[in-house]
Amino acid sequence: MKMKSLVIILVCLMATSVFATNSWKATGGEQYWSEASGWTAGIPDDSQQIKLANNSGNFAPCILNTAAVNLVTNKLTIGGTASSGLWADSPLLTIVDGGSIGIGNELQIGDSSSKRGRLVQTGGTLNITGTGKVEVGYKSVAGYGGTYTISGGTVAGSETSKLMVGGGGAANSEGVLTIQGSAASITVGFFSVGCSDSVGTYAGTGRVAFEVVNGNVSAINAGKTYIDPLGAANSITSLLISATGAAPTADILLINNTSNDAVLGVFDNAAEGAIFTLGGVDMTLTYAGGDGNDVMLLIPEPITMVLFGLGLLAVRRK
């Protein structure tokens, strides 16, 4: 009987350990992930569910500048109610040079019905291993959700990894992915916008913004791409493109489909042939660019070359 009781106690202790939550509690100015005082249970390890959820208006943004946990079975959630009602007051994790984190299960940006979350990556590495997934907007509602802004560093995903913008965890979730400039490297197995898979599960709101700098921007490399593939009535997808610096002089790759599959679906506001004007240059959007299945902006042929071609044709006819 004593042995049986001991076994039960050990099992309970193991279960408690496996599902223990470690929450970010730092207040005031920015603090580093590696500061034990910023957490309710010390520096996180991979046996814990990790949460960045502000409980006060004095929430401290968390900076990851060192190697962190590899969450093979547990989750990292960034999401809390902004005390001022503003995005700038919501939980923020920033990955900078030297920082790295592994996601083998889930990274949830935004949490529940009205909890906002923000991830900013300027450097470092986000490793998405196995069937791990990053959900930009998780179980959220309009006006809340999650944002992921990347201007540098690496997203290294496995062939079965997922990057979802809107459509994470529940229907109507909302997410925004912003790619700034061309210093980042982004590779995942599956990239979805406004849904979570090829059949449009969890129709939500997904916005993808490319901020082109001097004619260049980092492309998303994905084995398969789903942009509300079934045109679900409740799904809203948007492609936003802006530019600064010199005007583009060449085609711009936005999504590189690394498999032979076509992109499933299109952005609501950007059908095949849509025109985006960058730096005074009208560029045409295609979902069949590159090797036939990439999302690209095509630059118009220089008018001089067209006229030159017409001139040669006229000479030949004479």
Side-chain angles (χ1 to χ4, degrees):
M1 186 66 180
K2 287 184 179 179
M3 180 61 69
K4 185 177 180 180
S5 298
L6 179 59
V7 171
I8 293 173
I9 291 171
L10 288 174
V11 169
C12 291
L13 288 173
M14 289 174 64
T16 301
S17 174
V18 169
F19 296 105
T21 297
N22 193 352
S23 298
W24 181 248
K25 66 175 184 177
T27 58
E30 295 178 333
Q31 292 193 36
Y32 290 104
W33 177 292
S34 57
E35 296 181 34
S37 61
W39 299 95
T40 57
I43 299 172
D45 61 48
D46 56 11
S47 70
Q48 300 166 329
Q49 305 282 6
I50 304 172
K51 288 192 174 185
L52 276 72
N54 59 325
N55 295 313
S56 71
N58 199 26
F59 178 84
C62 180
I63 301 174
L64 179 60
N65 70 335
T66 186
V69 295
N70 182 26
L71 297 171
V72 177
T73 58
N74 289 321
K75 305 174 185 178
L76 168 59
T77 300
I78 309 170
T81 303
S83 62
S84 67
L86 300 176
W87 271 100
D89 190 33
S90 57
L92 168 64
L93 173 65
T94 301
I95 304 175
V96 300
D97 286 341
S100 66
I101 188 167
I103 303 296
N105 189 355
E106 287 181 89
L107 167 53
Q108 301 166 344
I109 309 174
D111 181 27
S112 186
S113 61
S114 59
K115 295 180 180 179
R116 297 168 168 155
R118 297 174 292 158
L119 174 64
V120 171
Q121 184 173 1
T122 61
T125 304
L126 176 59
N127 287 306
I128 315 175
T129 61
T131 57
K133 52 190 176 183
V134 174
E135 297 162 305
V136 187
Y138 179 77
K139 290 188 177 181
S140 54
V141 295
Y144 292 91
T147 67
Y148 179 13
T149 301
I150 178 169
S151 59
T154 300
V155 178
S158 68
E159 292 183 356
T160 52
S161 64
K162 293 182 179 181
L163 173 58
M164 297 182 287
V165 184
N172 301 317
S173 61
E174 182 171 331
V176 181
L177 171 66
T178 301
I179 300 171
Q180 299 175 326
S182 57
S185 174
I186 306 168
T187 301
V188 293
F190 299 86
F191 177 58
S192 63
V193 184
C195 62
S196 64
D197 54 30
S198 62
V199 296
T201 305
Y202 295 153
T205 297
R207 298 182 178 89
V208 181
F210 289 91
E211 298 181 2
V212 180
V213 179
N214 293 326
N216 296 296
V217 72
S218 300
I220 299 169
N221 300 288
K224 299 180 185 295
T225 301
Y226 310 132
I227 307 172
D228 184 19
L230 300 185
N234 293 328
S235 180
I236 301 172
T237 59
S238 301
L239 175 64
L240 308 174
I241 304 176
S242 60
T244 57
T249 58
D251 297 341
I252 299 175
L253 178 63
L254 302 176
I255 303 174
N256 175 30
N257 246 20
T258 56
S259 70
N260 294 323
D261 296 340
V263 174
L264 291 182
V266 298
F267 289 97
D268 292 340
N269 70 324
E272 178 74 24
I275 302 297
F276 287 85
T277 302
L278 305 181
V281 178
D282 290 339
M283 304 189 72
T284 303
L285 181 74
T286 182
Y287 293 83
D291 56 3
N293 63 348
D294 301 328
V295 182
M296 298 185 70
L297 287 176
L298 306 179
I299 198 164
E301 283 191 49
I303 189 66
T304 53
M305 293 302 295
V306 174
L307 292 175
F308 180 68
L310 291 174
L312 287 178
L313 181 60
V315 169
R316 288 176 181 172
R317 284 182 175 176
K318 290 180 180 180

